[in-house]
Amino acid sequence: MSTSPSSQAQPAGSTRDREIVDARVIVTCPGRNFVTLRIETRAGVVGLGDATLNGRELAVASYLTDHVVPNLIGRDAGRIEDTWQFFYRGAYWRRGPVTMTAIAAVDMALWDIVAKLAGMPLYQLLGGRSRDGALVYGHASGATIDETSEAVGRFKEQGYLAIRAQSGVPGLKKNYGVTNEKYAYEPAESALPAETVWSTPSYLSSTPRLFERLRRDHGEEIELLHDVHHRLTPIEAARLARDLEPYRLFWLEDPTPAENQAAFEVIRRHSVTPIATGEVFNSIWDCKELIEKQLIDYIRTTLVHAGGITHVRRIADLAALYRVRTGFHGATDLSPVCMGAALHFDTWVPNFGIQEFMRHSPETLAVFPHDYEFRAGRLHCGESPGHGVTIDEELAKKYPYSPKQLPIARLEDGTMWDW
Ligand code: GCO
Ligand code: MG
């Protein structure tokens, strides 16, 4: 599955060699849209950063092309911290997913360049290897509990040690996390959002039955995870977390929306099921209260949506003080560039928990030659300099941008809900 990236290590350069002479955005849709920032230095060293924000891709592409790239030309690619501060403080308008995804792309590309200049894999620059490979979880799903249990069995056969399980909900046609696709679950499939119907009572009664069955069929050893996808109120989330306790989940994800962080206190008061959240967060300020009050166990905020390596490293360090571990978002809408960089981070970060791993389609993997591979339940980043992911631009051109948005959910009476 892994292919060698084409660009090789360059000798460490002078300030002049590190000067950024070109920066441009590549948008491609090999099955789904990806936005990639490509930065090149005078010495010809190229770095890539992922800038994909699912369903809002062109906003980041424009932010980069119109507002960031003109500031990059002529800068020293080695000044990673200063460049981060320049785009964060210098923009005056702080934070938000579009801004922080754009900053992340720049940051990831600069770390890639500097690691290539040093002739080292990126994890080495962060402080070196802390583990042999990153424990990952795959996504098993099915329309019914029977089908979901069979899907979990197939993941076990492939060597997964941790598996997220999502099942269809009785009475509902289609809901988050359940796929009939061959590869990974890919919900952003139409130009305008598909509409789905949601029922909390049905979900709350069927989900504990799903995990009771999974423990019966698959035993105690396998790690099981579940994503609520922000669809419960705080007290409903508390009830689900309590009802799932006997099945000892690795984590329950996004049990309730996190804008109101005190909501997580309600869940904690009722249950010891570990809680993960933060894939939609974009800065350390979104994470601070949940971490400091010890309301979560895993922080999901990942490189592409939260300012890149420079910023997420600060989040991980804050989390470490409270024994909160990382569990990076790794859905297929994050490109292989993000996955490559995330795996170097996972290989180093002392408070690593787990990495989400949805397999990209063969078309996507061909556009992004990458140096990482799955072995025995873990992803292993390679030893090539940088983050190990490149782009085949000729192939990328064959897949032009195609507008796609995520689905929405409404209650049975038509009220807008969280999908
Ligand atoms: C996950 C996520 C994804 C998101 C998707 C949105 O846990 O993997 O919840 O499935 O829905 O990344 O773009
Ligand atoms: Mg999620």
Side-chain angles (χ1 to χ4, degrees):
M1 178 187 117
S2 127
T3 44
S4 276
S6 51
S7 61
Q8 294 299 316
Q10 308 283 328
S14 62
T15 316
R16 190 181 143 77
D17 287 347
R18 289 196 309 259
E19 185 188 340
I20 296 173
V21 294
D22 186 50
R24 58 193 163 84
V25 173
I26 303 161
V27 181
T28 179
C29 185
R32 52 147 309 100
N33 293 307
F34 295 109
V35 180
T36 309
L37 178 68
R38 180 191 187 277
I39 298 181
E40 188 169 346
T41 65
R42 187 169 294 284
V45 180
V46 169
L48 294 186
D50 183 17
T52 309
L53 184 61
N54 202 7
R56 296 292 184 268
E57 296 88 357
L58 298 186
V60 186
S62 157
Y63 192 109
L64 284 167
T65 305
D66 297 326
H67 307 293
V68 170
V69 165
N71 293 294
L72 280 174
I73 307 303
R75 292 184 77 86
D76 179 350
R79 295 182 65 163
I80 301 177
E81 182 69 51
D82 183 68
T83 302
W84 196 94
Q85 301 291 342
F86 177 88
F87 285 115
Y88 184 82
R89 294 171 186 241
Y92 186 69
W93 309 108
R94 293 176 187 217
R95 309 198 275 155
V98 175
T99 297
M100 296 305 277
T101 301
I103 296 177
V106 173
D107 189 76
M108 232 181 272
L110 296 187
W111 278 95
D112 192 25
I113 287 173
V114 172
K116 283 177 179 167
L117 283 167
M120 290 178 185
L122 177 50
Y123 72 78
Q124 198 58 61
L125 261 59
L126 293 170
R129 192 176 273 286
S130 298
R131 57 195 54 81
D132 294 335
L135 176 70
V136 297
Y137 68 93
H139 283 205
S141 73
T144 60
I145 290 180
D146 281 349
E147 278 182 34
T148 308
S149 182
E150 283 165 25
V152 167
R154 287 195 295 276
F155 273 84
K156 275 169 65 187
E157 279 162 23
Q158 290 173 54
Y160 283 86
L161 305 169
I163 302 166
R164 185 187 97 156
Q166 308 289 135
S167 183
V169 174
L172 302 185
K173 271 211 203 96
K174 213 170 168 6
N175 57 280
Y176 167 78
V178 181
T179 182
N180 22 29
E181 311 258 333
K182 191 164 148 220
Y183 296 103
Y185 174 62
E186 183 39 74
E189 52 199 13
S190 46
L192 293 176
E195 299 231 351
T196 63
V197 177
W198 176 247
S199 162
T200 297
S202 186
Y203 171 73
L204 281 181
S205 74
S206 64
T207 304
R209 279 189 272 122
L210 166 68
F211 283 92
E212 180 188 20
R213 171 70 182 278
L214 294 180
R215 280 294 173 220
R216 197 162 3 108
D217 289 357
H218 301 289
E220 301 293 325
E221 293 261 296
I222 190 86
E223 299 287 8
L224 295 173
L225 300 82
H226 182 69
D227 189 350
V228 181
H229 221 243
H230 326 268
R231 288 170 296 189
L232 297 178
T233 65
I235 197 67
E236 289 164 353
R239 177 178 148 202
L240 181 65
R242 192 196 58 194
D243 288 353
L244 291 174
E245 262 175 22
Y247 315 115
R248 285 182 303 288
L249 265 55
F250 184 94
W251 80 32
L252 186 66
E253 177 186 341
D254 288 336
T256 195
E259 287 99 327
N260 169 23
Q261 306 209 331
F264 284 68
E265 283 169 15
V266 179
I267 304 171
R268 279 292 204 230
R269 217 174 289 145
H270 295 278
S271 159
V272 293
T273 294
I275 303 295
T277 202
E279 69 182 33
V280 302
F281 293 176
N282 48 67
S283 91
I284 197 167
W285 298 100
D286 298 327
C287 310
K288 186 174 178 292
E289 181 181 351
L290 288 172
I291 291 173
E292 287 178 347
K293 293 194 174 155
Q294 307 193 60
L295 298 176
I296 58 170
D297 304 280
Y298 296 91
I299 186 73
R300 302 257 302 137
T301 314
T302 190
L303 309 182
V304 59
H305 299 137
I309 293 163
T310 297
H311 192 63
V312 173
R313 191 163 62 163
R314 302 212 157 96
I315 297 175
D317 283 344
L318 173 68
L321 299 180
Y322 299 91
R323 309 297 299 260
V324 170
R325 297 192 284 164
T326 62
F328 284 172
H329 187 199
T332 44
D333 49 281
L334 285 61
S335 93
V337 173
C338 179
M339 180 57 89
L343 287 171
H344 282 267
F345 195 102
D346 293 341
T347 298
W348 155 72
V349 69
N351 49 325
F352 172 73
I354 200 164
Q355 168 70 53
E356 181 178 18
F357 178 42
M358 281 172 91
R359 286 174 194 265
H360 286 109
S361 68
E363 291 80 8
T364 296
L365 293 174
V367 169
F368 295 98
H370 55 286
D371 186 18
Y372 56 80
E373 63 177 7
F374 176 83
R375 290 196 306 274
R378 295 189 162 78
L379 272 172
H380 299 262
C381 63
E383 293 295 319
S384 54
H387 57 47
V389 185
T390 57
I391 188 165
D392 179 336
E393 288 196 62
E394 287 313 305
L395 194 55
K397 279 186 200 145
K398 295 194 178 138
Y399 302 106
Y401 170 74
S402 159
K404 287 182 167 54
Q405 291 188 51
L406 288 165
I408 59 141
R410 292 183 185 277
L411 300 182
E412 284 152 306
D413 69 359
T415 308
M416 244 334 253
W417 200 248
D418 301 281
W419 168 70

